[in-house]
Amino acid sequence: MAILLFILIACLALAGGVGVIASRRPVHSALALLLVLGSLAVDYLLLDAQFIAALQVIIYAGAIVVLFIFIIMLLAARSGEDPRIQAVLSPVAGAVLCGVFGLAVLIVLSHAAESPASVGEQFGTVQMVGRALFSRFLLPFEAASIVLLVGMIGAVALGRRLSDEAPDRGRRTPAPEER
């Protein structure tokens, strides 16, 4: 049962990933990213890592996706962009990629060991995650926070520059007969 649920969730995550890169509209890409992050949270639940799943939902699915939505709004990206822009992947190519991924998952699972390696009783608990973050993974944790901070500063700088360049964006020019 867990294998079937994992395969279903993996297919959803893959479909979301294809949606992130294939969508023409930024809001749709952000929603597809939400599907990927939600699928990962379910995968963490399947691994009995409830704390990591909660963090996945709160931090990534909540805060990061909301941050992306705000960035899209700051950049004044319209949800109905120019229809001449083509998607990166066609729906057929996305379906083919999903099928290839599903086949690869089936091959890997068919050759995998019968029972997965066991993890300790404390795996995924708050204490273990905190101890790992502030001891063994302190440098990568701080590096990731700096990268996120630089990304936020860059998004604000881009948003401010675009709003300064186009102050009358969205205003309609009156037709000659209306003047």
Side-chain angles (χ1 to χ4, degrees):
M1 180 65 185
I3 293 294
L4 292 177
L5 186 58
F6 173 77
I7 290 172
L8 175 69
I9 297 303
C11 290
L12 283 176
L14 183 65
V18 169
V20 168
I21 61 172
S23 177
R24 287 184 266 173
R25 298 180 177 149
V27 173
H28 291 175
S29 291
L31 292 176
L33 180 64
L34 185 64
L35 176 65
V36 172
L37 297 173
S39 299
L40 287 177
V42 173
D43 279 341
Y44 289 134
L45 286 176
L46 288 174
L47 292 172
D48 288 330
Q50 291 85 7
F51 179 66
I52 304 285
L55 288 179
Q56 178 76 21
V57 169
I58 293 169
I59 295 173
Y60 291 104
I64 299 296
V65 172
V66 168
L67 177 68
F68 286 168
I69 297 289
F70 280 136
I71 290 170
I72 291 168
M73 290 169 47
L74 281 174
L75 295 176
R78 297 174 297 161
S79 62
E81 291 185 339
D82 189 1
R84 291 177 292 178
I85 299 172
Q86 296 295 320
V88 176
L89 288 176
S90 68
V92 174
V96 168
L97 284 176
C98 286
V100 168
F101 178 74
L103 186 62
V105 167
L106 286 177
I107 290 171
V108 168
L109 289 177
S110 67
H111 295 314
E114 287 296 321
S115 63
S118 64
V119 294
E121 188 67 31
Q122 297 289 320
F123 178 75
T125 61
V126 177
Q127 292 84 12
M128 289 298 291
V129 171
R131 191 169 295 133
L133 277 181
F134 293 109
S135 62
R136 200 168 93 195
F137 298 108
L138 181 63
L139 186 61
F141 179 70
E142 293 300 325
S145 65
I146 290 171
V147 168
L148 287 175
L149 179 65
V150 168
M152 286 189 284
I153 291 171
V156 169
L158 284 174
R160 293 187 80 193
R161 186 180 318 146
L162 287 177
S163 66
D164 291 342
E165 290 175 355
D168 59 347
R169 183 179 220 177
R171 291 187 188 162
R172 187 177 71 89
T173 304
E177 59 271 1
E178 293 177 352
R179 293 181 189 163

